[in-house]
Amino acid sequence: METTEKILRGAEELFMRYGIKSITMDEIAKHLGISKKTIYQFFEDKDEIVFMSCKKHLCSDAECLQVISRGAANAVEEIFNLSEFLRNTVVRTHPSVLFDLQKYHKSSWDLYLSHKETVIEKYISSNIRRGIEEGLYRAEINVSIISHIRLDMIQMAFNPDIFPPTRYNLMEVHMQLMEHFIYGLLSPKGYETLQELKNKARNLAN
């Protein structure tokens, strides 16, 4: 188990830094300081490593979302903390990761779609309902529609046809889309709450 985890952790580091397609089994072995033969003792091929790395990463993300939700005093604080989590995640993510999954690793892509349509959508919907109940989000929001829009926004940021990495910074794209989404949710009370959180964050940073 220890060797398996070491391989998955090392492979994920490379995939997130350089994309999936460009990384070979030889490069994974070299990065870990082990032989390729050792890797094949635990994994059939690169596709299996990608799948298991993806599963591990998505499980970790789901746990982080639960921690963020439980630790937030209200829906605005929750989504504010989520945006910081997203910022830290995106900065470690190569722009081609989702594209590589979709094009070259079908089982991993299907796993991602399942995660997106269950865990992420459920999380977004729960946050929106919470915000409406707390009077921090606009009462007329259609939870189902807006949740679907947010899911597409996440995936759209990684689409090289929409945001070519030669022209757009992935981090900036994600943050702009996130800001656009958040401000579209807020009631006047929610807007005040968000500004207070931003001011507090700025003061702590100074």
Side-chain angles (χ1 to χ4, degrees):
M1 178 62 72
E2 184 177 340
T3 302
T4 302
E5 289 298 315
K6 178 182 177 181
I7 293 170
L8 291 177
R9 187 164 54 250
E12 182 181 345
E13 289 172 0
L14 292 176
F15 296 152
M16 297 294 277
R17 191 181 307 165
Y18 302 110
I20 298 171
K21 181 178 182 293
S22 63
I23 298 300
T24 65
M25 295 290 272
D26 285 319
E27 287 169 325
I28 295 173
K30 182 179 179 181
H31 177 67
L32 293 169
I34 60 178
S35 69
K36 190 164 62 172
K37 182 179 179 181
T38 299
I39 296 178
Y40 280 118
Q41 291 175 356
F42 295 90
F43 298 96
E44 182 178 346
D45 52 23
K46 177 183 169 181
D47 191 58
E48 185 180 5
I49 293 178
V50 171
F51 180 84
M52 295 305 296
S53 296
C54 183
K55 184 176 181 180
K56 179 173 175 289
H57 182 82
L58 294 177
C59 286
S60 176
D61 275 4
E63 291 172 2
C64 289
L65 293 180
Q66 290 179 2
V67 171
I68 290 170
S69 180
R70 289 196 298 264
N74 55 61
V76 174
E77 182 177 334
E78 181 182 351
I79 204 165
F80 180 79
N81 292 340
L82 176 64
S83 70
E84 290 304 302
F85 170 72
L86 179 64
R87 183 191 301 273
N88 294 329
T89 299
V90 171
V91 76
R92 301 183 294 107
T93 305
H94 191 275
S96 73
V97 165
L98 283 187
F99 177 79
D100 289 347
L101 282 184
Q102 183 177 15
K103 189 168 183 180
Y104 304 107
H105 301 279
K106 185 181 184 305
S107 59
S108 297
W109 178 248
D110 289 344
L111 183 67
Y112 166 75
L113 290 180
S114 176
H115 176 82
K116 185 182 78 167
E117 293 168 4
T118 54
V119 175
I120 300 178
E121 182 171 11
K122 182 179 178 181
Y123 181 86
I124 295 170
S125 298
S126 176
N127 174 264
I128 295 174
R129 283 193 292 270
R130 179 182 182 181
I132 293 172
E133 290 171 2
E134 294 170 341
L136 299 173
Y137 294 169
R138 295 181 295 108
E140 67 272 20
I141 289 173
N142 184 304
V143 177
S144 178
I145 292 175
I146 299 303
S147 297
H148 273 79
I149 288 173
R150 178 56 190 154
L151 287 177
D152 281 346
M153 289 170 74
I154 294 171
Q155 197 163 320
M156 179 174 63
F158 286 99
N159 189 327
D161 293 327
I162 300 175
F163 296 107
T166 54
R167 291 179 55 195
Y168 297 96
N169 178 274
L170 181 63
M171 168 76 78
E172 181 66 15
V173 171
H174 272 287
M175 290 302 100
Q176 286 292 318
L177 290 175
M178 188 68 172
E179 285 268 301
H180 179 74
F181 173 70
I182 293 174
Y183 278 101
L185 296 174
L186 299 176
S187 66
K189 180 182 175 183
Y191 179 85
E192 292 178 4
T193 302
L194 180 60
Q195 296 311 117
E196 290 172 3
L197 287 169
K198 286 190 169 187
N199 290 335
K200 182 179 178 180
R202 277 194 290 266
N203 291 335
L204 289 174
N206 295 331

